[in-house]
Amino acid sequence: MELLNKLSENGRLSEAEFAELLRSYDETLATEAAAIARIKRKGTYGDRVFLRGLLEFSNYCKNDCYYCGLRKSYRGLSRYRMTKEEIISRTDYGYELGFRTFVLQSGEDAFFSDELLCGMIAEIKDRHPDCAVTLSIGERERESYERLFAAGADRYLLRHESCVKEHYALLHPEEMSFEHRMGCLRMLREIGYQVGCGFMVGSPFQTTGHLAKELCFLAEFKPDMCGIGPFIPKEGTPFEEKKAGSVEMTCFLLSLIRIMLPDVLLPATTALGTLDPEGREKGIMAGANVLMPNLSPVSLRPLYALYDSKICMGEESAECVECLKRRIEKTGCHIEVSRGDHKHFTHRGGVEPFAGGG
Ligand code: SAM
Ligand code: SF4
Ligand code: FES
């Protein structure tokens, strides 16, 4: 408890202290951490939970991450790309459902040039000026990130996957560079995006020491958003035999991150809901405040199988929104229809303060 209180007061611990805190994990400590995390969240975002409509618009990927079902060497997968028109029409549908943020996610697919993406982003913003567009399309070059930002993209999710170079190298083939990925995160921030980093909990070869380093990295980088979810093995990938991460450790980490970064936008991920039918509720009770229901057409969802047994495969997005509303009510929170920006976000580099996002 002592270390939890210290974290709550100072907003950070030393690496050794984080490691000690993680090693002393038990149910009582996790319950205490979650209670402090909820107080911190209430102080910043109240009881509001923000929805992001996730559009998985292409499952083509040039990379070969060992953990992911979209990796290029995964042969047993039909590949698809949504057209610009399909993507726009799903955002229109999402708007009707109450989404005010659209997350455009894909594998690293060169078919989606800057020009194509910029046209799409501009049209979404034109049709729905009160919405935010988040990109989650992997590593690109600075010029590309700049163009996409100029076209209207507001936020960028790029999980760093591991802040420890040696561990990163065990999760990715040699041609993928730890330095480039970390460099991308810094670039995105410099350009003016609200930036999200993150990692899988219980990814193969991850140690408690690594997790302590992750918490130190987050304390320093101070992301606007942080995506953490349990690793789940996918049949047919090099990690198919590896153990899944734990719901309990993911929730404990969510609490520690909320305590350390009270303003951070923190999703209770689909992976959490996949490992435990009440995983997302547990995530919210641990301090998360974002949910990312799937806005992709139901027919395409089985083809975006990052891991096995992914939930919400057959339910239309409208059903998921209703389902989530019911689930969230039980946690004492409520879903809010707004962009849900980071608390200290000022619109586009501080020029025009955004009034509605809180
Ligand atoms: N291609 C982009 C990228 O890698 O940043 C965005 C899409 S990628 C599928 C989104 C995230 O899915 C990755 O950052 C990774 O953390 C997560 N992911 C991939 N395979 C996973 C698995 N087997 N279990 C849990 N999460 C996984
Ligand atoms: Fe591609 Fe992203 Fe999957 Fe890696 S995690 S294989 S970059 S989709
Ligand atoms: Fe998709 Fe419950 S959130 S069915």
Side-chain angles (χ1 to χ4, degrees), residues 243-258:
K243 242 178 73 203
S246 100
V247 170
E248 291 72 26
M249 187 46 78
T250 305
C251 288
F252 187 45
L253 285 163
L254 284 172
S255 298
L256 299 186
I257 295 168
R258 169 65 64 205

Side-chain angles (χ1 to χ4, degrees), residues 134-271:
T134 303
L135 299 175
S136 173
I137 55 178
E139 295 172 47
R140 298 174 84 92
E141 297 311 312
R142 177 186 280 269
E143 225 176 67
S144 171
Y145 286 148
E146 281 171 350
R147 285 195 193 125
L148 302 173
F149 186 71
D154 302 275
R155 310 185 189 129
Y156 207 104
L157 298 175
L158 186 77
R159 289 185 179 185
H160 57 287
E161 314 296 357
S162 175
C163 70
V164 181
K165 188 176 174 179
E166 297 71 32
H167 181 224
Y168 182 91
L170 295 171
L171 303 177
H172 302 94
E174 216 176 320
E175 63 271 17
M176 291 183 71
S177 152
F178 170 77
E179 284 80 13
H180 190 264
R181 198 157 184 96
M182 288 302 202
C184 284
L185 278 179
R186 283 189 292 275
M187 255 188 262
L188 289 162
R189 165 155 293 167
E190 281 162 20
I191 293 168
Y193 286 94
Q194 294 177 62
V195 179
C197 62
F199 55 90
M200 293 176 288
V201 178
S203 62
F205 315 110
Q206 187 181 65
T207 63
T208 304
H210 292 153
L211 288 174
K213 286 191 195 311
E214 293 296 354
L215 291 168
C216 289
F217 171 74
L218 294 177
E220 226 135 83
F221 186 67
K222 298 189 178 56
D224 303 296
M225 307 164 285
C226 181
I228 66 159
F231 160 73
I232 305 177
K234 166 77 186 157
E235 211 185 325
T237 64
F239 289 164
E240 64 180 356
E241 303 282 347
K242 302 287 185 199
K243 242 178 73 203
S246 100
V247 170
E248 291 72 26
M249 187 46 78
T250 305
C251 288
F252 187 45
L253 285 163
L254 284 172
S255 298
L256 299 186
I257 295 168
R258 169 65 64 205
I259 295 171
M260 185 165 79
L261 303 170
D263 298 340
V264 76
L265 290 155
L266 203 54
T269 58
T270 304

Side-chain angles (χ1 to χ4, degrees), residues 90-146:
R90 285 312 277 188
T91 58
D92 289 347
Y93 167 60
Y95 190 87
E96 296 301 313
L97 295 179
F99 295 120
R100 295 296 177 267
T101 291
F102 302 109
V103 181
L104 305 184
Q105 191 182 82
S106 67
E108 288 199 17
D109 181 2
F111 177 86
F112 285 91
S113 61
D114 291 348
E115 203 187 338
L116 180 54
L117 286 167
C118 285
M120 248 158 54
I121 295 164
E123 187 160 347
I124 296 170
K125 299 287 292 209
D126 202 38
R127 294 164 90 94
H128 307 294
D130 53 339
C131 289
V133 170
T134 303
L135 299 175
S136 173
I137 55 178
E139 295 172 47
R140 298 174 84 92
E141 297 311 312
R142 177 186 280 269
E143 225 176 67
S144 171
Y145 286 148
E146 281 171 350

Side-chain angles (χ1 to χ4, degrees), residues 61 63-65 67-68 70-71 106-108 161 176 304 306:
C61 189
N63 290 334
D64 226 1
C65 308
Y67 43 85
C68 177
L70 305 191
R71 63 196 302 268
S106 67
E108 288 199 17
E161 314 296 357
M176 291 183 71
Y304 203 84
L306 314 178

